[in-house]
Short mmCIF file of all heavy atoms in Angstrom, two decimals:
data_model
loop_
_atom_site.label_atom_id
_atom_site.label_comp_id
_atom_site.label_asym_id
_atom_site.label_seq_id
_atom_site.Cartn_x
_atom_site.Cartn_y
_atom_site.Cartn_z
N MET A 1 -1.74 33.51 -20.46
CA MET A 1 -2.62 32.32 -20.34
C MET A 1 -4.07 32.78 -20.20
O MET A 1 -4.37 33.60 -19.35
CB MET A 1 -2.19 31.53 -19.10
CG MET A 1 -2.96 30.24 -18.92
SD MET A 1 -2.51 29.43 -17.38
CE MET A 1 -0.87 28.85 -17.74
N ASP A 2 -4.95 32.27 -21.04
CA ASP A 2 -6.34 32.67 -20.90
C ASP A 2 -7.10 31.69 -20.01
O ASP A 2 -6.55 30.73 -19.50
CB ASP A 2 -7.01 32.85 -22.26
CG ASP A 2 -7.12 31.54 -23.02
OD1 ASP A 2 -7.17 30.47 -22.38
OD2 ASP A 2 -7.13 31.58 -24.25
N VAL A 3 -8.38 31.99 -19.84
CA VAL A 3 -9.16 31.23 -18.86
C VAL A 3 -9.27 29.75 -19.24
O VAL A 3 -9.20 28.87 -18.39
CB VAL A 3 -10.57 31.86 -18.73
CG1 VAL A 3 -11.45 31.01 -17.81
CG2 VAL A 3 -10.45 33.28 -18.19
N SER A 4 -9.42 29.47 -20.53
CA SER A 4 -9.60 28.06 -20.92
C SER A 4 -8.30 27.28 -20.70
O SER A 4 -8.33 26.11 -20.34
CB SER A 4 -10.05 27.96 -22.38
OG SER A 4 -9.01 28.36 -23.24
N ASP A 5 -7.16 27.93 -20.89
CA ASP A 5 -5.89 27.27 -20.60
C ASP A 5 -5.81 26.92 -19.13
O ASP A 5 -5.35 25.85 -18.75
CB ASP A 5 -4.72 28.18 -20.97
CG ASP A 5 -4.44 28.15 -22.46
OD1 ASP A 5 -4.96 27.24 -23.14
OD2 ASP A 5 -3.72 29.03 -22.94
N GLN A 6 -6.23 27.87 -18.31
CA GLN A 6 -6.17 27.65 -16.87
C GLN A 6 -7.06 26.47 -16.47
O GLN A 6 -6.69 25.65 -15.66
CB GLN A 6 -6.62 28.90 -16.12
CG GLN A 6 -5.50 29.93 -16.08
CD GLN A 6 -5.95 31.22 -15.43
OE1 GLN A 6 -7.10 31.35 -15.02
NE2 GLN A 6 -5.05 32.18 -15.36
N ALA A 7 -8.25 26.40 -17.10
CA ALA A 7 -9.17 25.32 -16.78
C ALA A 7 -8.56 23.97 -17.16
O ALA A 7 -8.64 23.00 -16.42
CB ALA A 7 -10.49 25.53 -17.51
N THR A 8 -7.93 23.93 -18.32
CA THR A 8 -7.32 22.68 -18.77
C THR A 8 -6.20 22.27 -17.81
O THR A 8 -6.10 21.12 -17.42
CB THR A 8 -6.74 22.85 -20.19
OG1 THR A 8 -7.79 23.31 -21.03
CG2 THR A 8 -6.18 21.55 -20.71
N GLN A 9 -5.41 23.23 -17.44
CA GLN A 9 -4.31 22.93 -16.54
C GLN A 9 -4.83 22.40 -15.21
O GLN A 9 -4.30 21.46 -14.66
CB GLN A 9 -3.50 24.20 -16.31
CG GLN A 9 -2.11 23.90 -15.81
CD GLN A 9 -1.31 25.18 -15.63
OE1 GLN A 9 -1.82 26.18 -15.16
NE2 GLN A 9 -0.06 25.14 -16.00
N ARG A 10 -5.90 23.01 -14.75
CA ARG A 10 -6.49 22.59 -13.48
C ARG A 10 -6.99 21.15 -13.57
O ARG A 10 -6.78 20.35 -12.68
CB ARG A 10 -7.62 23.56 -13.13
CG ARG A 10 -8.41 23.17 -11.91
CD ARG A 10 -8.02 24.05 -10.71
NE ARG A 10 -8.73 23.58 -9.52
CZ ARG A 10 -8.13 22.96 -8.50
NH1 ARG A 10 -6.84 22.75 -8.52
NH2 ARG A 10 -8.82 22.57 -7.45
N GLU A 11 -7.63 20.83 -14.67
CA GLU A 11 -8.13 19.47 -14.86
C GLU A 11 -6.99 18.47 -14.87
O GLU A 11 -7.08 17.39 -14.29
CB GLU A 11 -8.91 19.36 -16.17
CG GLU A 11 -10.36 19.78 -16.03
CD GLU A 11 -11.03 19.95 -17.38
OE1 GLU A 11 -10.67 19.24 -18.32
OE2 GLU A 11 -11.89 20.83 -17.49
N GLU A 12 -5.92 18.83 -15.54
CA GLU A 12 -4.76 17.94 -15.61
C GLU A 12 -4.18 17.73 -14.22
O GLU A 12 -3.78 16.63 -13.87
CB GLU A 12 -3.69 18.53 -16.53
CG GLU A 12 -4.03 18.29 -17.99
CD GLU A 12 -3.11 19.05 -18.93
OE1 GLU A 12 -2.16 19.67 -18.44
OE2 GLU A 12 -3.39 19.03 -20.13
N GLN A 13 -4.14 18.79 -13.44
CA GLN A 13 -3.60 18.67 -12.08
C GLN A 13 -4.47 17.75 -11.23
O GLN A 13 -3.97 16.94 -10.48
CB GLN A 13 -3.51 20.05 -11.43
CG GLN A 13 -2.27 20.81 -11.91
CD GLN A 13 -2.29 22.26 -11.48
OE1 GLN A 13 -3.29 22.74 -10.95
NE2 GLN A 13 -1.22 22.96 -11.73
N LEU A 14 -5.78 17.89 -11.39
CA LEU A 14 -6.69 17.05 -10.62
C LEU A 14 -6.53 15.59 -11.01
O LEU A 14 -6.51 14.71 -10.17
CB LEU A 14 -8.14 17.50 -10.86
CG LEU A 14 -8.54 18.80 -10.18
CD1 LEU A 14 -9.93 19.22 -10.61
CD2 LEU A 14 -8.48 18.66 -8.67
N LEU A 15 -6.39 15.35 -12.30
CA LEU A 15 -6.23 13.98 -12.78
C LEU A 15 -4.93 13.40 -12.25
O LEU A 15 -4.89 12.28 -11.75
CB LEU A 15 -6.23 13.99 -14.31
CG LEU A 15 -6.13 12.61 -14.97
CD1 LEU A 15 -7.37 11.78 -14.66
CD2 LEU A 15 -5.97 12.75 -16.48
N GLU A 16 -3.88 14.18 -12.34
CA GLU A 16 -2.59 13.72 -11.83
C GLU A 16 -2.66 13.41 -10.35
O GLU A 16 -2.13 12.41 -9.89
CB GLU A 16 -1.52 14.79 -12.05
CG GLU A 16 -0.78 14.60 -13.35
CD GLU A 16 0.14 15.77 -13.63
OE1 GLU A 16 0.80 16.24 -12.70
OE2 GLU A 16 0.19 16.23 -14.78
N ALA A 17 -3.33 14.28 -9.61
CA ALA A 17 -3.46 14.08 -8.17
C ALA A 17 -4.21 12.79 -7.89
O ALA A 17 -3.83 12.01 -7.01
CB ALA A 17 -4.17 15.26 -7.54
N ALA A 18 -5.27 12.55 -8.65
CA ALA A 18 -6.06 11.34 -8.44
C ALA A 18 -5.22 10.10 -8.73
O ALA A 18 -5.26 9.13 -7.98
CB ALA A 18 -7.29 11.36 -9.34
N LEU A 19 -4.47 10.15 -9.80
CA LEU A 19 -3.64 9.00 -10.16
C LEU A 19 -2.55 8.77 -9.12
O LEU A 19 -2.28 7.64 -8.74
CB LEU A 19 -3.00 9.22 -11.53
CG LEU A 19 -3.97 9.17 -12.71
CD1 LEU A 19 -3.26 9.58 -13.99
CD2 LEU A 19 -4.57 7.78 -12.86
N SER A 20 -1.94 9.85 -8.66
CA SER A 20 -0.88 9.69 -7.67
C SER A 20 -1.44 9.15 -6.37
O SER A 20 -0.82 8.31 -5.73
CB SER A 20 -0.20 11.01 -7.34
OG SER A 20 0.00 11.75 -8.47
N ASP A 21 -2.59 9.63 -5.98
CA ASP A 21 -3.19 9.15 -4.74
C ASP A 21 -3.45 7.65 -4.81
O ASP A 21 -3.23 6.93 -3.86
CB ASP A 21 -4.50 9.88 -4.47
CG ASP A 21 -4.25 11.21 -3.81
OD1 ASP A 21 -3.08 11.50 -3.48
OD2 ASP A 21 -5.21 11.97 -3.63
N GLN A 22 -3.89 7.22 -5.96
CA GLN A 22 -4.17 5.80 -6.14
C GLN A 22 -2.88 4.99 -6.02
O GLN A 22 -2.83 4.00 -5.31
CB GLN A 22 -4.77 5.60 -7.53
CG GLN A 22 -5.75 4.46 -7.57
CD GLN A 22 -6.52 4.47 -8.88
OE1 GLN A 22 -5.99 4.93 -9.90
NE2 GLN A 22 -7.72 3.99 -8.88
N ALA A 23 -1.86 5.46 -6.69
CA ALA A 23 -0.57 4.77 -6.64
C ALA A 23 -0.03 4.79 -5.22
O ALA A 23 0.52 3.80 -4.74
CB ALA A 23 0.41 5.44 -7.60
N TYR A 24 -0.20 5.91 -4.58
CA TYR A 24 0.28 6.10 -3.21
C TYR A 24 -0.38 5.09 -2.27
O TYR A 24 0.29 4.42 -1.50
CB TYR A 24 -0.07 7.53 -2.81
CG TYR A 24 0.48 8.01 -1.50
CD1 TYR A 24 1.84 8.27 -1.35
CD2 TYR A 24 -0.36 8.25 -0.43
CE1 TYR A 24 2.34 8.74 -0.16
CE2 TYR A 24 0.12 8.73 0.77
CZ TYR A 24 1.47 8.98 0.90
OH TYR A 24 1.94 9.45 2.08
N LYS A 25 -1.68 4.98 -2.38
CA LYS A 25 -2.42 4.07 -1.49
C LYS A 25 -2.08 2.62 -1.79
O LYS A 25 -1.98 1.80 -0.90
CB LYS A 25 -3.93 4.30 -1.64
CG LYS A 25 -4.37 5.52 -0.87
CD LYS A 25 -5.88 5.71 -0.96
CE LYS A 25 -6.28 7.08 -0.47
NZ LYS A 25 -7.13 7.78 -1.41
N THR A 26 -1.93 2.32 -3.08
CA THR A 26 -1.60 0.95 -3.46
C THR A 26 -0.25 0.56 -2.89
O THR A 26 -0.06 -0.54 -2.40
CB THR A 26 -1.56 0.82 -4.99
OG1 THR A 26 -2.79 1.29 -5.50
CG2 THR A 26 -1.36 -0.62 -5.42
N ARG A 27 0.67 1.49 -2.94
CA ARG A 27 2.02 1.22 -2.47
C ARG A 27 2.08 1.14 -0.95
O ARG A 27 2.89 0.43 -0.40
CB ARG A 27 2.96 2.32 -2.96
CG ARG A 27 4.35 1.82 -3.24
CD ARG A 27 4.99 2.72 -4.24
NE ARG A 27 5.31 3.99 -3.59
CZ ARG A 27 6.54 4.46 -3.51
NH1 ARG A 27 7.53 3.80 -4.04
NH2 ARG A 27 6.78 5.60 -2.94
N LEU A 28 1.22 1.92 -0.31
CA LEU A 28 1.24 1.98 1.14
C LEU A 28 0.38 0.90 1.76
O LEU A 28 -0.71 1.15 2.19
CB LEU A 28 0.76 3.35 1.61
CG LEU A 28 1.78 4.47 1.55
CD1 LEU A 28 1.19 5.71 2.17
CD2 LEU A 28 3.07 4.10 2.25
N THR A 29 0.89 -0.29 1.76
CA THR A 29 0.18 -1.36 2.46
C THR A 29 1.07 -1.82 3.60
O THR A 29 2.27 -1.98 3.44
CB THR A 29 -0.12 -2.53 1.52
OG1 THR A 29 1.08 -2.87 0.82
CG2 THR A 29 -1.19 -2.16 0.52
N ALA A 30 0.47 -2.00 4.74
CA ALA A 30 1.22 -2.41 5.92
C ALA A 30 1.75 -3.83 5.71
O ALA A 30 0.99 -4.75 5.47
CB ALA A 30 0.34 -2.35 7.15
N ASP A 31 3.06 -3.98 5.75
CA ASP A 31 3.63 -5.31 5.55
C ASP A 31 4.60 -5.66 6.67
O ASP A 31 5.43 -6.55 6.54
CB ASP A 31 4.31 -5.41 4.18
CG ASP A 31 5.46 -4.43 4.05
OD1 ASP A 31 5.74 -3.69 5.02
OD2 ASP A 31 6.09 -4.40 2.99
N GLY A 32 4.50 -4.94 7.78
CA GLY A 32 5.32 -5.28 8.94
C GLY A 32 6.67 -4.58 8.98
O GLY A 32 7.44 -4.80 9.90
N THR A 33 6.95 -3.74 7.97
CA THR A 33 8.19 -2.97 8.02
C THR A 33 7.88 -1.50 7.80
O THR A 33 6.94 -1.14 7.11
CB THR A 33 9.19 -3.42 6.94
OG1 THR A 33 8.58 -3.30 5.66
CG2 THR A 33 9.64 -4.86 7.17
N CYS A 34 8.72 -0.66 8.41
CA CYS A 34 8.58 0.78 8.25
C CYS A 34 8.86 1.16 6.81
O CYS A 34 9.85 0.73 6.22
CB CYS A 34 9.56 1.48 9.19
SG CYS A 34 9.59 3.26 8.98
N LYS A 35 7.95 1.94 6.23
CA LYS A 35 8.10 2.33 4.82
C LYS A 35 9.25 3.31 4.64
O LYS A 35 9.68 3.55 3.52
CB LYS A 35 6.81 2.98 4.32
CG LYS A 35 5.62 2.07 4.35
CD LYS A 35 5.78 0.94 3.36
CE LYS A 35 4.63 -0.04 3.52
NZ LYS A 35 4.87 -1.26 2.73
N ASN A 36 9.70 3.88 5.74
CA ASN A 36 10.76 4.87 5.63
C ASN A 36 12.13 4.25 5.85
O ASN A 36 13.05 4.48 5.08
CB ASN A 36 10.52 6.01 6.62
CG ASN A 36 11.52 7.14 6.42
OD1 ASN A 36 11.62 7.68 5.33
ND2 ASN A 36 12.25 7.46 7.45
N CYS A 37 12.30 3.51 6.92
CA CYS A 37 13.64 3.01 7.25
C CYS A 37 13.77 1.49 7.17
O CYS A 37 14.86 0.96 7.26
CB CYS A 37 14.05 3.50 8.64
SG CYS A 37 13.12 2.73 9.97
N GLY A 38 12.64 0.79 7.01
CA GLY A 38 12.71 -0.64 6.84
C GLY A 38 12.73 -1.45 8.13
O GLY A 38 12.78 -2.67 8.10
N GLU A 39 12.68 -0.75 9.26
CA GLU A 39 12.63 -1.44 10.55
C GLU A 39 11.31 -2.20 10.69
O GLU A 39 10.30 -1.81 10.12
CB GLU A 39 12.70 -0.41 11.69
CG GLU A 39 14.07 0.20 11.91
CD GLU A 39 15.03 -0.76 12.61
OE1 GLU A 39 14.60 -1.46 13.54
OE2 GLU A 39 16.19 -0.80 12.19
N ALA A 40 11.34 -3.26 11.44
CA ALA A 40 10.12 -4.01 11.69
C ALA A 40 9.18 -3.19 12.56
O ALA A 40 9.61 -2.54 13.52
CB ALA A 40 10.44 -5.32 12.38
N VAL A 41 7.91 -3.16 12.18
CA VAL A 41 6.91 -2.46 12.98
C VAL A 41 5.78 -3.43 13.32
O VAL A 41 5.46 -4.32 12.54
CB VAL A 41 6.34 -1.22 12.27
CG1 VAL A 41 7.38 -0.11 12.21
CG2 VAL A 41 5.85 -1.55 10.88
N VAL A 42 5.20 -3.22 14.50
CA VAL A 42 4.14 -4.11 14.95
C VAL A 42 2.84 -3.80 14.22
O VAL A 42 2.13 -4.68 13.77
CB VAL A 42 3.94 -3.96 16.48
CG1 VAL A 42 2.80 -4.86 16.95
CG2 VAL A 42 5.23 -4.29 17.21
N ALA A 43 2.54 -2.51 14.12
CA ALA A 43 1.31 -2.11 13.46
C ALA A 43 1.56 -0.84 12.68
O ALA A 43 2.44 -0.05 13.01
CB ALA A 43 0.21 -1.87 14.49
N GLY A 44 0.81 -0.64 11.63
CA GLY A 44 0.95 0.55 10.83
C GLY A 44 2.09 0.41 9.83
O GLY A 44 2.62 -0.69 9.63
N MET A 45 2.47 1.51 9.24
CA MET A 45 3.44 1.46 8.17
C MET A 45 4.74 2.17 8.50
O MET A 45 5.68 2.14 7.72
CB MET A 45 2.81 2.09 6.92
CG MET A 45 1.63 1.26 6.43
SD MET A 45 0.82 2.00 5.02
CE MET A 45 0.02 3.37 5.78
N PHE A 46 4.79 2.80 9.67
CA PHE A 46 5.99 3.53 10.06
C PHE A 46 6.31 3.25 11.52
O PHE A 46 5.40 3.01 12.32
CB PHE A 46 5.80 5.04 9.85
CG PHE A 46 5.44 5.38 8.43
CD1 PHE A 46 4.13 5.60 8.08
CD2 PHE A 46 6.41 5.47 7.46
CE1 PHE A 46 3.78 5.89 6.77
CE2 PHE A 46 6.09 5.75 6.15
CZ PHE A 46 4.77 5.97 5.80
N CYS A 47 7.59 3.31 11.87
CA CYS A 47 7.94 3.00 13.25
C CYS A 47 7.65 4.19 14.16
O CYS A 47 7.38 4.01 15.33
CB CYS A 47 9.39 2.54 13.37
SG CYS A 47 10.60 3.64 12.66
N ASP A 48 7.69 5.39 13.62
CA ASP A 48 7.31 6.56 14.41
C ASP A 48 6.90 7.72 13.52
O ASP A 48 6.96 7.62 12.29
CB ASP A 48 8.43 6.97 15.39
CG ASP A 48 9.72 7.29 14.66
OD1 ASP A 48 9.68 7.66 13.47
OD2 ASP A 48 10.78 7.18 15.29
N ALA A 49 6.50 8.79 14.16
CA ALA A 49 5.98 9.95 13.41
C ALA A 49 7.08 10.58 12.55
O ALA A 49 6.80 11.08 11.47
CB ALA A 49 5.40 10.98 14.37
N ASP A 50 8.32 10.53 13.04
CA ASP A 50 9.42 11.11 12.27
C ASP A 50 9.58 10.39 10.93
O ASP A 50 9.78 11.01 9.90
CB ASP A 50 10.73 11.02 13.05
CG ASP A 50 10.81 12.10 14.12
OD1 ASP A 50 10.00 13.05 14.06
OD2 ASP A 50 11.67 11.98 15.00
N CYS A 51 9.51 9.07 11.00
CA CYS A 51 9.65 8.29 9.77
C CYS A 51 8.50 8.58 8.82
O CYS A 51 8.69 8.68 7.62
CB CYS A 51 9.71 6.79 10.09
SG CYS A 51 11.40 6.22 10.37
N ARG A 52 7.33 8.72 9.37
CA ARG A 52 6.17 9.02 8.53
C ARG A 52 6.34 10.38 7.85
O ARG A 52 6.13 10.52 6.65
CB ARG A 52 4.89 9.01 9.37
CG ARG A 52 3.63 9.11 8.52
CD ARG A 52 2.46 9.55 9.36
NE ARG A 52 2.75 10.80 10.02
CZ ARG A 52 2.34 11.16 11.24
NH1 ARG A 52 1.60 10.33 11.92
NH2 ARG A 52 2.66 12.30 11.76
N ASP A 53 6.76 11.36 8.63
CA ASP A 53 6.97 12.70 8.07
C ASP A 53 8.04 12.68 6.99
O ASP A 53 7.90 13.27 5.94
CB ASP A 53 7.37 13.68 9.18
CG ASP A 53 6.20 14.00 10.09
OD1 ASP A 53 5.05 13.63 9.73
OD2 ASP A 53 6.42 14.61 11.13
N ASP A 54 9.11 11.97 7.29
CA ASP A 54 10.22 11.84 6.36
C ASP A 54 9.75 11.26 5.04
O ASP A 54 10.05 11.77 3.96
CB ASP A 54 11.23 10.88 6.97
CG ASP A 54 12.59 11.52 7.11
OD1 ASP A 54 12.62 12.70 7.53
OD2 ASP A 54 13.58 10.84 6.80
N PHE A 55 9.02 10.20 5.16
CA PHE A 55 8.51 9.49 3.98
C PHE A 55 7.59 10.39 3.17
O PHE A 55 7.73 10.50 1.95
CB PHE A 55 7.76 8.24 4.44
CG PHE A 55 7.22 7.42 3.30
CD1 PHE A 55 8.01 6.48 2.67
CD2 PHE A 55 5.91 7.59 2.87
CE1 PHE A 55 7.51 5.73 1.62
CE2 PHE A 55 5.41 6.84 1.81
CZ PHE A 55 6.21 5.90 1.19
N GLU A 56 6.68 11.06 3.87
CA GLU A 56 5.73 11.91 3.17
C GLU A 56 6.43 13.07 2.47
O GLU A 56 6.06 13.48 1.40
CB GLU A 56 4.67 12.42 4.14
CG GLU A 56 3.66 11.32 4.44
CD GLU A 56 2.62 11.75 5.44
OE1 GLU A 56 2.70 12.87 5.97
OE2 GLU A 56 1.71 10.94 5.70
N ARG A 57 7.47 13.58 3.12
CA ARG A 57 8.23 14.67 2.52
C ARG A 57 8.87 14.20 1.21
O ARG A 57 8.85 14.90 0.20
CB ARG A 57 9.30 15.16 3.49
CG ARG A 57 9.24 16.64 3.73
CD ARG A 57 10.42 17.17 4.49
NE ARG A 57 10.91 16.28 5.52
CZ ARG A 57 10.56 16.33 6.80
NH1 ARG A 57 9.72 17.24 7.21
NH2 ARG A 57 11.05 15.48 7.66
N ARG A 58 9.43 13.02 1.25
CA ARG A 58 10.09 12.51 0.05
C ARG A 58 9.07 12.19 -1.05
O ARG A 58 9.34 12.43 -2.23
CB ARG A 58 10.93 11.28 0.38
CG ARG A 58 12.35 11.68 0.71
CD ARG A 58 13.26 10.48 0.86
NE ARG A 58 12.87 9.73 2.07
CZ ARG A 58 12.56 8.44 2.07
NH1 ARG A 58 12.59 7.77 0.96
NH2 ARG A 58 12.23 7.85 3.18
N GLU A 59 7.93 11.65 -0.66
CA GLU A 59 6.89 11.36 -1.65
C GLU A 59 6.46 12.64 -2.35
O GLU A 59 6.29 12.69 -3.56
CB GLU A 59 5.67 10.73 -0.98
CG GLU A 59 5.90 9.32 -0.52
CD GLU A 59 5.93 8.34 -1.69
OE1 GLU A 59 5.09 8.45 -2.59
OE2 GLU A 59 6.80 7.47 -1.69
N ARG A 60 6.28 13.67 -1.54
CA ARG A 60 5.83 14.95 -2.09
C ARG A 60 6.89 15.52 -3.03
O ARG A 60 6.59 16.02 -4.09
CB ARG A 60 5.55 15.92 -0.96
CG ARG A 60 4.28 16.72 -1.22
CD ARG A 60 3.88 17.45 0.03
NE ARG A 60 4.11 16.58 1.19
CZ ARG A 60 3.77 16.84 2.42
NH1 ARG A 60 3.18 17.94 2.71
NH2 ARG A 60 4.01 16.03 3.41
N ALA A 61 8.14 15.45 -2.61
CA ALA A 61 9.23 15.97 -3.43
C ALA A 61 9.30 15.20 -4.75
O ALA A 61 9.48 15.78 -5.81
CB ALA A 61 10.55 15.85 -2.69
N ALA A 62 9.12 13.90 -4.68
CA ALA A 62 9.16 13.08 -5.89
C ALA A 62 8.04 13.47 -6.83
O ALA A 62 8.22 13.56 -8.03
CB ALA A 62 9.05 11.60 -5.52
N ARG A 63 6.87 13.72 -6.27
CA ARG A 63 5.74 14.13 -7.10
C ARG A 63 6.02 15.45 -7.78
O ARG A 63 5.71 15.65 -8.94
CB ARG A 63 4.48 14.30 -6.24
CG ARG A 63 3.73 13.00 -6.08
CD ARG A 63 2.37 13.29 -5.52
NE ARG A 63 2.11 12.43 -4.38
CZ ARG A 63 0.94 12.39 -3.77
NH1 ARG A 63 -0.02 13.20 -4.13
NH2 ARG A 63 0.76 11.58 -2.77
N MET A 64 6.59 16.37 -7.02
CA MET A 64 6.84 17.70 -7.57
C MET A 64 7.92 17.64 -8.66
O MET A 64 7.89 18.40 -9.60
CB MET A 64 7.26 18.66 -6.46
CG MET A 64 6.06 19.22 -5.75
SD MET A 64 6.51 20.61 -4.73
CE MET A 64 6.84 19.79 -3.19
N ASN A 65 8.85 16.73 -8.51
CA ASN A 65 9.90 16.58 -9.52
C ASN A 65 9.43 15.79 -10.73
O ASN A 65 10.16 15.64 -11.70
CB ASN A 65 11.12 15.87 -8.93
CG ASN A 65 11.81 16.75 -7.90
OD1 ASN A 65 11.72 17.97 -7.96
ND2 ASN A 65 12.52 16.13 -6.98
N GLY A 66 8.21 15.27 -10.64
CA GLY A 66 7.68 14.50 -11.73
C GLY A 66 8.29 13.11 -11.81
O GLY A 66 8.23 12.45 -12.84
N VAL A 67 8.88 12.68 -10.72
CA VAL A 67 9.46 11.34 -10.70
C VAL A 67 8.34 10.34 -10.45
O VAL A 67 7.61 10.46 -9.48
CB VAL A 67 10.53 11.21 -9.59
CG1 VAL A 67 11.07 9.79 -9.53
CG2 VAL A 67 11.63 12.22 -9.82
N GLY A 68 8.21 9.41 -11.32
CA GLY A 68 7.11 8.47 -11.23
C GLY A 68 7.32 7.43 -10.16
O GLY A 68 8.42 7.26 -9.63
N TYR A 69 6.26 6.73 -9.83
CA TYR A 69 6.36 5.66 -8.85
C TYR A 69 7.06 4.47 -9.49
O TYR A 69 6.83 4.15 -10.65
CB TYR A 69 4.97 5.27 -8.39
CG TYR A 69 4.39 6.33 -7.50
CD1 TYR A 69 3.71 7.40 -8.04
CD2 TYR A 69 4.62 6.29 -6.14
CE1 TYR A 69 3.22 8.41 -7.24
CE2 TYR A 69 4.13 7.27 -5.32
CZ TYR A 69 3.43 8.32 -5.87
OH TYR A 69 2.95 9.31 -5.08
N GLY A 70 7.91 3.87 -8.72
CA GLY A 70 8.64 2.72 -9.21
C GLY A 70 9.80 3.11 -10.11
O GLY A 70 10.46 2.27 -10.70
N ALA A 71 10.08 4.39 -10.19
CA ALA A 71 11.18 4.85 -11.04
C ALA A 71 12.50 4.72 -10.31
O ALA A 71 12.53 4.76 -9.10
CB ALA A 71 10.96 6.29 -11.46
ZN1 ZN B 1 11.19 3.96 10.49
#
């Protein structure tokens, strides 16, 4: 791989990251239920830190697998 290939790849990664972040934020709106387990929450999007970590781990894994949002 030469330098220009690396630059192109880097740009693609940045674009993908930007798009995923946008989708991520759009999806993450507080609606009174935990995004991880579905339990009712008073404030925020998760009932506790474990659920948040769990959710983030799965989101990251989905991104790495190339699984799209809403798939
Ligand atoms: Zn939860």
